[in-house]
Amino acid sequence: MKLVRRNHPYFNTFPSLFEEIFKDDFFSTRSGGLHVPAVNVKESDAAFTLEVVAPGRSKEDFKIEVNKDLLTISSKIEDTKEEKDENGKYTRREFTYRSFTRSFTLPETVDGEHIGATYDKGILHLTLPKMEAAKEKAPKLIEIA
């Protein structure tokens, strides 16, 4: 049995709650559901770069931790919206809680002491530099004596 969204004329008379329940994005972050952001991983000769897509946050919302060979990126947002009438009574009060955790096992070639991070335009950028010994070097020509 499937849960299918239907456009029935009788549902138009009910509050928008029914519309919210049957929308395709019911489990998106907008509705407070579970969401794990996408992560792009790039490798160059000098470093690994991670891009975590997490719009609507600030750099203070993130926690980045390295424990042995495990890199953990987490974020937590708690938001409260209130509307009161002229008597100071609540007419509407909403709570939103969004969080995620992503963990990555670091290869031995990463220099865990010099990991850098920036947050710009909804994307968290992490740079994981490689140790000098792990960086690819140009071929060396050995002369015969």
Side-chain angles (χ1 to χ4, degrees), residues 78-92:
E78 297 179 32
D79 189 26
T80 303
K81 294 180 182 176
E82 300 176 350
E83 293 180 18
K84 295 183 180 183
D85 62 11
E86 59 275 350
N87 298 326
K89 295 182 180 179
Y90 291 110
T91 56
R92 180 174 155 181

Side-chain angles (χ1 to χ4, degrees), residues 1 12 79:
M1 182 171 177
N12 292 336
D79 189 26

Side-chain angles (χ1 to χ4, degrees), residues 24-141:
D24 293 337
D25 63 349
F26 180 64
F27 292 104
S28 71
T29 56
R30 189 179 70 78
S31 60
L34 299 174
H35 176 70
V36 179
V39 177
N40 297 326
V41 179
K42 300 176 186 175
E43 182 180 9
S44 67
D45 292 338
F48 290 95
T49 304
L50 276 65
E51 297 172 337
V52 182
V53 180
R57 300 175 193 272
S58 66
K59 67 180 188 176
E60 291 79 18
D61 295 329
F62 293 98
K63 179 181 175 186
I64 303 169
E65 185 176 64
V66 176
N67 186 3
K68 297 180 184 175
D69 66 343
L70 190 68
L71 171 70
T72 303
I73 304 165
S74 59
S75 178
K76 178 172 47 170
I77 295 177
E78 297 179 32
D79 189 26
T80 303
K81 294 180 182 176
E82 300 176 350
E83 293 180 18
K84 295 183 180 183
D85 62 11
E86 59 275 350
N87 298 326
K89 295 182 180 179
Y90 291 110
T91 56
R92 180 174 155 181
R93 192 171 190 186
E94 295 180 0
F95 299 92
T96 304
Y97 179 80
R98 293 178 285 161
S99 68
F100 73 85
T101 300
R102 294 289 308 258
S103 295
F104 302 89
T105 302
L106 298 176
E108 294 176 4
T109 58
V110 170
D111 182 0
E113 298 297 319
H114 295 98
I115 294 175
T118 59
Y119 183 70
D120 184 40
K121 297 179 183 173
I123 300 176
L124 177 67
H125 300 270
L126 282 92
T127 304
L128 292 71
K130 293 181 180 179
M131 294 183 190
E132 282 299 319
K135 293 180 182 176
E136 288 191 30
K137 297 175 183 154
K140 181 180 176 183
L141 183 62

